[in-house]
């Protein structure tokens, strides 16, 4: 049986399919493209577990994909994927992967795994080396301020900040 879809039907279907991706863009720092599952990619494809367990962050592989809250994450191995799935929030960066210093000043900036810090078993990402150095001058104030500000901007679209 052949099905013919009208333009309004296709438009509605496409809108619904992309709604989750649009929400993830506002809540999480994700790549601009979608993964094979149709969800956005978190942490630019870097294995979040490796941020805690490896000397340097490891690129994940789409073979080892796990979804959390509408975002796909890639892992370097099945073991890393299993570790993540046992407790996803323990391995995800704070503030949806946005730059912690950016959140501190009320913005959602890209979080780069090259500029990261783990404080009290929580992962914080920063946009670049200059901002990371600024954060290091007063970590406690930045982290506390970012946590206080996050509640106000968490659900705000990036373009509205």
């Amino acid at each position: 049986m052949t099905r013919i879809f009208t333009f309004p039907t296709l438009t509605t279907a496409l809108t619904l399919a992309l709604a989750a991706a649009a929400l993830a863009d506002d809540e999480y720092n994700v790549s601009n493209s979608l993964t094979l599952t149709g969800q956005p990619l978190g942490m630019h494809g870097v294995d979040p577990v490796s941020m805690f367990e490896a000397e340097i962050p490891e690129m994940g592989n789409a073979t080892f994909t796990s979804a959390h809250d509408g975002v796909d994450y890639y892992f370097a191995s099945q073991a890393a994927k299993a570790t993540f799935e046992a407790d996803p929030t323990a391995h995800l960066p704070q503030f949806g992967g946005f730059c912690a210093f950016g959140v501190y000043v009320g913005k959602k900036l890209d979080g780069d795994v090259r500029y990261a810090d783990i404080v009290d078993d929580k992962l914080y990402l920063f946009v670049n080396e200059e901002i990371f150095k600024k954060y290091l001058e007063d970590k406690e104030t930045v982290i506390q301020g970012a946590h206080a500000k996050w509640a106000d901007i968490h659900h705000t679209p990036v373009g509205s900040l």
Side-chain angles (χ1 to χ4, degrees):
M1 175 179 187
T2 302
R3 294 182 187 208
I4 300 173
F5 294 99
T6 64
F7 183 72
T9 303
L10 288 175
T11 303
T12 301
L14 184 58
T15 300
L16 292 173
L18 294 176
L23 176 62
D25 285 340
D26 293 341
E27 308 290 323
Y28 297 96
N29 182 26
V30 295
S31 298
N32 291 330
S33 59
L34 301 178
T35 64
L36 293 174
T37 66
Q39 298 191 107
L41 179 62
M43 290 186 62
H44 302 287
V46 171
D47 177 344
V49 173
S50 75
M51 298 297 293
F52 291 88
E53 296 181 357
E55 276 189 46
I56 59 171
E58 297 179 45
M59 284 305 298
N61 184 318
T63 303
F64 309 111
T65 301
S66 183
H68 178 73
D69 205 16
V71 177
D72 279 350
Y73 295 92
Y74 290 168
F75 298 89
S77 67
Q78 180 60 39
K81 178 184 172 191
T83 297
F84 175 81
E85 289 176 342
D87 189 3
T89 58
H91 298 93
L92 292 177
Q94 300 299 292
F95 317 120
F98 291 104
C99 171
F101 196 92
V103 172
Y104 170 66
V105 297
K107 301 288 183 187
K108 289 182 176 177
L109 306 174
D110 188 25
D112 188 328
V113 298
R114 295 176 298 172
Y115 310 104
D117 195 16
I118 296 173
V119 177
D120 296 328
D121 294 321
K122 294 183 186 327
L123 175 61
Y124 298 93
L125 303 179
F126 300 87
V127 68
N128 60 34
E129 183 177 14
E130 183 179 336
I131 294 297
F132 185 66
K133 287 179 180 178
K134 186 81 172 151
Y135 152 78
L136 291 174
E137 293 173 9
D138 192 358
K139 288 181 175 187
E140 187 175 315
T141 297
V142 172
I143 289 173
Q144 287 178 356
H147 279 287
K149 181 71 75 172
W150 184 240
D152 294 334
I153 69 170
H154 182 198
H155 301 291
T156 305
V158 173
S160 297
L161 295 173

